Amino acid sequence: MPANAFNGFTEYGVGIGLRVPHYRHILAKKPVVDWFEIISENFMVDGGRPLEVLDSILEQYRVVQHGVAIYFGSADKFDREHLKRLKRLVKHTNTPWLSDHLCWGSVDGRYTHDLLPMPYTFAVARHTAEKIRAARDYLEVPICVENVSSYAEYHASQMTEWEFLSEVVELADCGILLDVNNIYVSSQNHNFDPYAYLNNVPHHRVGQIHIAGHSKFEKYILDTHDHPVLDPVWKMYAHAIKLVGNTATLLEWDDRIPSFDEVHNEALKANKFREQQLAASTA
Amino acid sequence: MKRLKPTNSGSNSSPQVPREVNSRAQLRDLQRAMASALFRPLTSQWGMQKRWTDGGSMEAVAAEFIKPNDRLSSFERLEIYNRQYWFRTLDCLYDDYPGLRAIVGERRFMKLATAYLSRYPSNSYTLRDLGNRLEQFLSEEPQWSAPREQLALDMVRFEWAQVVAFDGPAKPPITPDDILDSPPSKLRLGLQPYLSLLELNFAVDDFLIAVKKRESDVLRGEASNAMEAAPKSAVRRKRVRLPKREKVYLGVHRHNNMLYYKRLDPEAFAILSLLGSGSTVEDACLEAVTARERTNIDWSAQIKDWFDAWSTLGWFCRRS
Ligand SMILES: [Fe+2]
């Protein structure tokens, strides 16, 4: 949705992820960018250059925090130190909302540094939703949870991924960061219709959209974020904004990162679909 | 609920693999089983091991909780995650510890890193901390760096000190005005948390600079037209000569958010170390200087110069 409770009632346009190889260009050239998404964990440090860069960015740009290690779906309790540092950063950036993934990644205090898929069951949905609520209450910021791309499914699952996502966000009363590329990747890996996914999540809860590139292998698709966005994903994006409206959109490019301009221009292609949507909705 | 083998959660026993996940306890069992599979080292062909921790078939264990699809077996789907875990963590150590890599060699580095992560899986949400127990590991299992155990240990301490100097905490520095009225016999100073003082047996600082230069030369060479005719494997990567044994004292720190390593005289190192462990300025200076062999030095002038330099660098702060 354009502005809703889950993105702090903001009307952000098309942004890109803030990445190290672009720091120098951004700080020197100050290009016009609607907003930057930062990886929270990169800035949850005590001092030094990362925080200096962040402060320069905050002076010029709107910033939204995206996390990769809260692990709402881990059976473990939250790492309190992690949440404490995250809250300090939330206060510092004044992020209007905060996102992280609907996944797990650590158990017994040992970390995989991966975004691992959940078993889609009602009990797990309740547990995950409780953790999201607890995090939101502690962090005092709206939360959007992102669907991850996956390569495996569990026998234990009792429902589809989109049913699980819907169940969790309804129970947690939180937002969705809808990653269109991840839906596409998973639909190919698990043989489901990606449009059934798009059509059947609570659209009013979508606070942000991710787009990205992926890599095709012989037997599966890997979510590599090292390519331009592929056509089927753009088509899905167009459909998504028809359903949810002109929602804040962000291009992720994390590996083999080309020049700033190349990444930004790729992201701005989203505007074509956004303008079509705007024209259709005002016609 | 079907279980392969009832066990506790100890890391050496086979984890339980639940087929149903209707409680948090079962979710934890599933996550323990999957994490155990991910943390197991890959085969020499970068594949998942064929045997589970109890010696049984990995294929059967994977089939217990992972669905196959029309293209991939349960084993192959789990293997994607097993590979991703190792590629990600080994890549991280590879990038963060070029000095250690140059000392033990690329192939042995991978074995060392695998053994390290098998014994000490990541205990932090951030990959920054991935090497936080490397020094401990190399002391406990010196066979991975033999016959260069000492050199490897020095290098790992040095490389970890750089991680700390890069983004470790800083306290407000003390200015000369702050301590004007404190007599040296009473004055105790803190050192910045991002500053590491290292007493080393090898000149790993010069060595690391040479290693990094060699790596960037190779990269530049590979990107240039001149090298295009030669395949990568044919490019001779000259090894940097290993450093000789010599006593080196270093302060690894940052200034204006840039990383530096500063060589220190033994007496300067001793003063700083004593200050760090709580001695007064007077005691630290006296103890550091009296036992030294160098006698033809105007110590009071020298010590004043050092304190001026250190306080300009912002190394002093209040003791916590
Ligand atoms: Fe994403």
Side-chain angles (χ1 to χ4, degrees), chain A residues 47-48 52 73 75 82 85 104 108 111 113-114 121 123 127 151 153-156 158 188-191, chain B residues 19 21-22 24 28 31-32 63 65-67 69-71 77 81 84 88 122 124-125 167 169 254 257:
Chain A
E52 183 190 2
H82 183 271
R85 283 172 178 265
W104 70 279
D108 302 322
Y111 288 75
H113 302 284
D114 204 345
T121 75
H127 163 74
Y151 316 103
E153 302 158 288
Y154 303 103
H155 288 301
Q158 299 162 339
Q188 297 293 300
N189 289 336
H190 308 314
N191 300 324
Chain B
R19 222 179 148 94
V21 184
N22 294 320
R24 199 167 117 186
R28 177 169 286 119
Q31 294 181 344
R32 279 181 178 154
F65 67 110
I66 305 277
K67 273 189 212 170
N69 72 2
D70 53 347
R71 288 154 286 163
R77 296 181 111 184
Y81 285 106
Q84 283 205 139
R88 179 177 295 115
S122 172
S124 161
Y125 61 86
D167 60 13
R254 65 170 181 259
N257 289 329

Side-chain angles (χ1 to χ4, degrees), chain B residues 132-202:
Chain B
N132 61 3
R133 287 167 296 175
L134 250 178
E135 181 188 347
Q136 186 187 342
F137 172 76
L138 289 180
S139 322
E140 290 164 347
E141 300 195 21
Q143 69 271 26
W144 297 104
S145 52
R148 304 194 182 113
E149 303 91 332
Q150 274 287 320
L151 175 57
L153 266 176
D154 272 8
M155 181 55 87
V156 160
R157 292 174 64 211
F158 179 46
E159 294 193 302
W160 178 252
Q162 292 174 59
V163 173
V164 173
F166 179 70
D167 60 13
K171 292 182 176 175
I174 284 181
T175 63
D177 283 354
D178 293 336
I179 50 176
L180 212 56
D181 300 331
S182 316
S185 59
K186 294 261 165 53
L187 181 61
R188 291 174 211 276
L189 297 169
L191 298 178
Q192 289 291 357
Y194 61 72
L195 166 67
S196 297
L197 300 170
L198 303 178
E199 179 179 358
L200 304 163
N201 294 305
F202 296 88

